[in-house]
Amino acid sequence: MKGRRERWLDGKPSLLNTTTAQNHWRILWRVKDLKKVRNFAWRLARNSIPTESVRNRRNMADSSACQICNNAKDNWRHALIDCNMAKCVWCLVDEELVEHMIGIKSNDARVWLMELVDTLKEDEVVIVLVTLLAIWWARRKAIH
């Protein structure tokens, strides 16, 4: 895991096939008229959405606890999938899609996104990305 992250930070090809990764990004960039969604997916994959753990690591927050539920460390997975607020939104989406999405246990957002692109239809990927962005927007609005 550490080696994969170091390679990713250095901009070197990961252990994943480079052409496969390029195809995944090509699919994500094909999302028409949803520039905010594409930008959010890119930021999520680069671990740059400002969750409390990211903000804490950058000395911008005192704690890495979730400001919504105060129960867990606020990383991308907690904020967008595991937090009670996110779960309330995901219960409105197709159950099979949510079960598949939750079944991908990677803690690396980039690997998680690429696994989604590999295993879901393009329209299902769009549904997941739009829902993730909606959850993120609602969280930020509730916190601020």
Side-chain angles (χ1 to χ4, degrees):
M1 179 77 98
K2 181 181 176 190
R4 183 176 2 156
R5 287 185 183 176
E6 288 173 351
R7 294 180 67 75
W8 176 67
L9 288 170
D10 293 337
K12 296 177 183 173
S14 67
L15 300 176
L16 296 172
N17 186 341
T18 304
T19 54
T20 304
Q22 288 174 346
N23 288 337
H24 292 144
W25 284 112
R26 209 170 280 128
I27 290 169
L28 285 175
W29 293 131
R30 253 191 276 160
V31 178
K32 302 283 189 235
D33 301 324
L34 298 173
K35 292 178 184 173
K36 286 183 181 181
V37 174
R38 291 188 309 215
N39 184 36
F40 178 76
W42 181 79
R43 290 184 67 204
L44 177 62
R46 301 287 294 180
N47 197 26
S48 68
I49 61 171
T51 60
E52 291 304 307
S53 61
V54 170
R55 292 181 68 237
N56 183 266
R57 189 176 68 237
R58 294 177 182 171
N59 296 321
M60 297 169 67
D62 295 331
S63 169
S64 62
C66 175
Q67 290 186 359
I68 300 292
C69 66
N70 293 320
N71 287 336
K73 183 178 178 183
D74 188 27
N75 58 25
W76 74 269
R77 186 166 185 95
H78 173 78
L80 300 173
I81 298 172
D82 296 332
C83 186
N84 290 336
M85 181 179 180
K87 286 180 180 179
C88 290
V89 174
W90 288 115
C91 74
L92 302 172
V93 179
D94 179 44
E95 189 175 330
E96 289 180 23
L97 180 61
V98 174
E99 288 297 323
H100 177 74
M101 183 189 72
I102 292 171
I104 302 172
K105 295 293 185 189
S106 177
N107 287 328
D108 184 348
R110 181 171 164 247
V111 172
W112 183 82
L113 277 173
M114 296 309 152
E115 182 72 23
L116 281 179
V117 170
D118 263 349
T119 57
L120 294 176
K121 297 179 206 166
E122 194 170 329
D123 60 329
E124 292 174 326
V125 172
V126 171
I127 290 169
V128 170
L129 291 176
V130 168
T131 307
L132 289 170
L133 179 59
I135 291 169
W136 181 253
W137 184 83
R139 280 180 62 85
R140 302 316 305 162
K141 190 155 181 108
I143 291 171
H144 297 291

